[in-house]
Amino acid sequence: VEPLNVSEYEQLAAGLLGAAAYGFFAGGADDELTLADNLEAYRRWQLRPRVLVDVAEASTAASVLGEEIAVPLLVAPVAYQRLAHPDGEVGMARAAAAVGTIMCLSSFATSSWEEVAATDVKRWFQLYVPKDPALAAELVAHVRAAGFGALVLTVDTPVLGRRERDLRSGFEIPEHLPIGLLGPGRFTPRSAFEAISPSVTWSDVERLASRSELPIVLKGILTAEDARLACEHRAAAIVVSNHGGRQLDGVSASLDALPEIVDAVAGRVEILIDGGVRRGTDVVKALALGARAVLVGRAPLWGLVVGGEAGARRVLELLRDEVELALQLLGCRRIAELSPAHLAPRERR
Ligand SMILES: Cc1cc2nc3c(=O)[nH]c(=O)nc-3n(C[C@H](O)[C@H](O)[C@H](O)COP(=O)(O)O)c2cc1C
């Protein structure tokens, strides 16, 4: 039977993947406190619907960094997608294109940038800065030439978090899947990360912005302090994120960090968010709190595992339809009508 929601896709995916690969995709750092809290944070808000509004013509259309998208939902950068399904990043790109949104391609993709570019998807490139400066410069030039519209610099991963599921299972990326940035070889997530610089700082952000001439999106901001610095260092947008609970365990759920960041930014840069989004109602909650769009990591990944390109597309369509339904039932015709008045904190019992 066809799955009806993201959670059913995850259950199917868990049965299809080997234990080590499922642990890599599903898992988080240390005790996975933040991993769990990312989802729970959405349940701590209740929706306040308004009625007797004509919602016959509701639209989920949105825009980010001047790019029109059909739904305020982007595909987050996720490494090693050909491990999920042979369609890999190319299948994910076609799925994103089919629903009219942007795909962020990971630095650790297992499909080539050219193949992804050939799908014509709206695309941003997620950057981990290599230690080798020549490789770093070459990478940026290459990405620009391949038509990526923004650089998503991931800032919460100077070093890799400790993911005990992977250490226990001995998870390795199979040799037959060459990693974009590294080429062929035998890697664990940890050994692959040895090529990445732990020394990137705020001054590199401005250098990257001028060298690449691409908008810079800083992914992994969790505090008002860093959000202010992002505004001062030429970021075009930020992603409020804790890397899906895979980096520093015990940080706040990304949704809980959103209000202080919305305040601190005061409209100067666009604010995106990811972590724990599994339902259309999650999306409208993040938007009501001031995010412009959300990124989804694991949700479309489970679709990719279950049905390749078609499965990833189905998950994105389900989420899009859930967003539309939530909007209509909230009494909104457009995304821009969502506001904090649509939310109330849920009483703890
Ligand atoms: C298996 C996996 C691999 C990931 N790989 C990357 C990556 O290469 N680069 C990156 O910036 N973020 C990476 N992330 C983090 C995602 O971009 C995103 O922040 C996170 O998945 C959002 O949480 P969600 O999975 O609950 O939607 C990865 C996440 C997962 C689950």
Side-chain angles (χ1 to χ4, degrees), residues 197-218:
S197 171
S199 308
V200 178
T201 66
W202 288 104
S203 61
D204 296 303
V205 175
E206 292 187 41
R207 205 165 316 137
L208 210 55
S210 40
R211 196 204 294 157
S212 71
E213 295 172 37
L214 289 171
I216 306 292
V217 181
L218 295 183

Side-chain angles (χ1 to χ4, degrees), residues 251-267:
V251 300
S252 65
S254 33
L255 191 71
D256 289 337
L258 182 59
E260 72 173 58
I261 290 174
V262 169
D263 262 11
V265 163

Side-chain angles (χ1 to χ4, degrees), residues 25 77 79 106 126 128 154 219 243-244 246 274-276 278 297-298:
F25 289 138
S106 167
Q126 178 267 323
Y128 285 133
T154 300
K219 173 172 176 283
H243 213 111
R246 298 163 73 83
D274 74 19
R278 303 291 185 269
R298 293 181 184 85

Side-chain angles (χ1 to χ4, degrees), residues 16-36:
L16 289 166
L17 287 168
Y22 177 70
F24 169 71
F25 289 138
D30 298 2
D31 296 312
E32 304 187 333
L33 300 175
T34 298
L35 177 71

Side-chain angles (χ1 to χ4, degrees), residues 24-27 35 38-39 76-79 106-108 126 128 152 154 156-157 163 219 241-246 274-278 295-299 301:
F24 169 71
F25 289 138
L35 177 71
N38 270 351
L39 280 82
V78 167
S106 167
S107 274
F108 288 154
Q126 178 267 323
Y128 285 133
V152 180
T154 300
D156 56 15
T157 313
R163 311 189 186 143
K219 173 172 176 283
S241 172
N242 49 41
H243 213 111
R246 298 163 73 83
D274 74 19
V277 173
R278 303 291 185 269
L295 279 62
V296 277
R298 293 181 184 85
L301 185 70

